[in-house]
Amino acid sequence: MEELAVIPECYVDTCLTETITSANHFNHQKGCGTVCSRMKEKFRDKFALGIVDKDKHKLPYLSEFELIGVKGSIYLHKHKTKSHYIIQISPAIERFILNAAQEKHIKLSDYGFPDDLKKLTKFTKQVTSDNNPKLKILFRHLSDASEFVILSDLIKYIATNRYECDLNDLKKILL
C-alpha cells in the first residue's frame, strides 16, 4: 500500500486508519481543505486518497468528483479524470466512533474517553490523538464494527489498486 498517498484529515482519522488497516506513515494533513490542496498539488498526476469529515461546508474540489456510493456514514467519491478518491465520513469521525461503540456495546468511558459527543470531539482535536495508545486499543476493539470494516476495506482496496480500481468492486464494498 502506498501509504503516503493516503491523506487523512485529522489526528484521530490518522490513528483510526493506521489501526484498522495495520499500516502506518499516512500523509496526515490538518483540515479538509488542506487534504484537497495536497491532492491537487503534490499528487496532481498521481494516485491519492483523501479521508475527510463531511463538514457543513462543501469542498470545492468535490465538484470534480462523482459520488460512487454511500453506506451509512461513508461517502465514496472518485475524481472524473484522475486516480483521486475521497472518502467522507458523515457527519464527522467522532459520531462515527460513537456509532461503532454503540453497535459493539462498548462504553468509551471504559477506555478513558468521554461518551458525550461534544467532549469526545474536544478530545480528538488534540495533537496527541494521532498516536494515542488507548485510542489504538479502542479502535482494535471496534475494528469489526460494520462501518469500520467498510472503511478499512475501501482504504485497502483503493490503496492497493491505485490506478486500476474497479468501480463495481468499490460499490460491492459499500453494499
Side-chain angles (χ1 to χ4, degrees):
M1 186 179 338
E2 189 176 321
E3 288 95 0
L4 293 179
V6 178
I7 310 167
E9 149 190 14
C10 68
Y11 300 112
V12 73
D13 291 20
T14 302
C15 182
L16 175 63
T17 54
E18 288 179 355
T19 304
I20 65 174
T21 63
S22 300
N24 57 21
H25 305 296
F26 288 93
N27 191 345
H28 165 78
Q29 298 297 313
K30 186 152 178 54
C32 300
T34 309
V35 169
C36 291
S37 293
R38 176 62 54 124
M39 291 174 73
K40 287 169 43 176
E41 295 164 12
K42 184 172 182 190
F43 295 94
R44 177 183 20 229
D45 298 319
K46 301 176 189 172
F47 160 77
L49 168 60
I51 303 167
V52 299
D53 288 344
K54 190 171 182 359
D55 291 334
K56 295 171 191 152
H57 307 289
K58 181 147 172 66
L59 296 169
Y61 190 44
L62 272 181
S63 67
E64 299 178 31
F65 286 68
E66 294 178 1
L67 180 64
I68 301 303
V70 178
K71 179 67 176 189
S73 302
I74 300 171
Y75 291 66
L76 176 62
H77 306 268
K78 161 80 174 78
H79 194 279
K80 293 173 185 171
T81 60
K82 299 178 182 183
S83 290
H84 284 190
Y85 298 83
I86 291 180
I87 296 173
Q88 286 184 301
I89 298 173
S90 175
I93 192 74
E94 294 81 12
R95 171 58 59 201
F96 188 69
I97 294 165
L98 287 170
N99 290 347
Q102 183 177 7
E103 176 188 332
K104 301 307 293 177
H105 306 288
I106 289 176
K107 292 168 74 175
L108 297 184
S109 56
D110 290 344
Y111 293 81
F113 303 111
D115 291 305
D116 172 76
L117 178 61
K118 286 185 180 183
K119 291 178 182 174
L120 180 63
T121 301
K122 186 176 179 180
F123 171 81
T124 61
K125 300 304 179 200
Q126 297 174 12
V127 174
T128 56
S129 65
D130 73 333
N131 201 21
N132 185 309
K134 288 182 180 180
L135 264 179
K136 290 181 182 202
I137 291 168
L138 171 65
F139 292 156
R140 279 194 288 277
H141 289 150
L142 294 174
S143 66
D144 62 344
S146 58
E147 289 190 347
F148 273 44
V149 171
I150 292 167
L151 180 61
S152 174
D153 288 351
L154 283 173
I155 294 168
K156 289 176 184 177
Y157 179 85
I158 294 169
T160 300
N161 295 286
R162 301 175 286 182
Y163 299 99
E164 299 172 6
C165 289
D166 183 312
L167 295 183
N168 290 321
D169 289 342
L170 291 170
K171 289 176 183 177
K172 285 177 191 174
I173 293 171
L174 291 167
L175 289 177

